[in-house]
Amino acid sequence: MARYVEVHPHDPQPRAIAQVVALLRDGGVVAYPTDSGYALGAAIGNHDGADRIRRIRHLGEGHHFTLVCSDFAQLGQLVHLDNAAFRAVKHATPGPYTFILPATKEVPRRLAHPRKKTVGVRIPEHPVVRALLRELGEPLLSSTLLLPDHDEPLTQGWVINDELGHELDAVIDDGEETDARPTTVVDLSDGGAVVVRVGSGDPAPFE
C-alpha cells in the first residue's frame, strides 16, 4: 500500500517531502498535486516506474512522458531553445503549460519522440511539487493522473489513495482540490507555436 503523506498546501513540511523523495530514489512511483490536476511521477532513470505508470493509465509504449523541472535553468539542460521559444517559455513559466521542444543529449533516448527527437517539459507553479523537485534535485518523469475510465484528471489525494493506493508507493495530499484541467500543451519544436491541447493554461499567447 502507498504511504499516505499529508502536507501543508503552501508550506509543505520538509521531512514529509524528504520521505517521498527517498521513495522516488528507491524506484518508487508517487502521486502528487500540481497546478493542473494530480500527476504520477517517477525518477527519470526509473525504467520500471515508467512501465508502472503506463500500466496504471493503460497506455501503450508510444506514450510520451513529461519531464517536470524545478526551474528554467534545469529545463534548459533538457531542450534546445531558439530565441522565440526562449521568450515564450520564459513568459509562461512557472505555470500550467507543457512545451514540446527538441531534446538535448541529456534526455534519455527512450524518453524522446523516436522520429522528431522532441520531449515535453514543464515548470509547475504548485508549492508542493516545487518543494518535491528542489529536494529531488533532478527532473521528474511524469504523466497526468488521468485514468482510462475518467474524462478529467483526479484532483483529491484521499480519492487517489482509495483508488490507487495498492499500485503506488506514496500519495501526497495537501488537503486541497486541484484544478481538474490538465496542462495546455504547446508545440514549439518547429519554429512556430502550435497549441496541441487546451487545458488550464491560457492558450491566447500562442495562437
Side-chain angles (χ1 to χ4, degrees):
M1 287 295 293
R3 179 177 296 180
Y4 187 57
V5 182
E6 296 181 89
V7 299
H8 190 279
H10 306 296
D11 189 19
Q13 298 86 329
R15 184 177 178 183
I17 294 297
Q19 289 174 347
V20 176
V21 168
L23 290 170
L24 285 167
R25 289 177 176 155
D26 198 36
V29 173
V30 307
Y32 64 93
T34 80
D35 42 358
S36 54
Y38 263 77
L40 297 172
I44 194 169
N46 186 351
H47 291 240
D48 180 63
D51 290 339
R52 286 173 62 191
I53 292 172
R54 289 190 186 98
R55 286 197 298 271
I56 291 168
R57 290 200 53 203
H58 295 191
L59 300 167
E61 285 293 323
H63 173 71
H64 300 295
F65 290 92
T66 297
L67 300 181
V68 180
C69 303
S70 60
D71 53 33
F72 197 83
Q74 193 176 74
L75 181 146
Q77 296 175 358
L78 301 173
V79 292
H80 295 289
L81 294 153
D82 61 21
N83 289 337
F86 178 93
R87 289 192 297 270
V89 175
K90 190 77 171 176
H91 178 74
T93 57
Y97 295 91
T98 297
F99 296 99
I100 299 172
L101 286 156
T104 68
K105 292 181 179 179
E106 297 294 318
V107 176
R109 185 179 298 177
R110 63 188 171 84
L111 299 180
H113 190 286
R115 182 170 52 83
K116 297 179 180 179
K117 309 302 181 189
T118 56
V119 69
V121 288
R122 70 168 299 216
I123 303 173
E125 193 169 16
H126 197 287
V128 173
V129 63
R130 291 180 69 80
L132 194 66
L133 290 164
R134 283 194 301 270
E135 179 70 19
L136 183 62
E138 63 180 34
L140 192 61
L141 182 71
S142 190
S143 182
T144 301
L145 212 175
L146 181 62
L147 295 179
D149 54 346
H150 289 61
D151 294 324
E152 295 181 336
L154 296 179
T155 60
Q156 293 178 288
W158 68 269
V159 174
I160 293 164
N161 194 54
D162 283 351
E163 290 199 28
L164 295 175
H166 61 290
E167 297 191 65
L168 299 171
D169 297 286
V171 175
I172 304 177
D173 188 353
D174 66 356
E176 296 189 342
E177 186 170 2
T178 64
D179 193 322
R181 297 168 296 171
T183 57
T184 291
V185 179
V186 183
D187 190 338
L188 298 172
S189 64
D190 225 5
V194 178
V195 178
V196 177
R197 179 182 72 195
V198 176
S200 50
D202 182 6
F206 305 100
E207 293 177 331

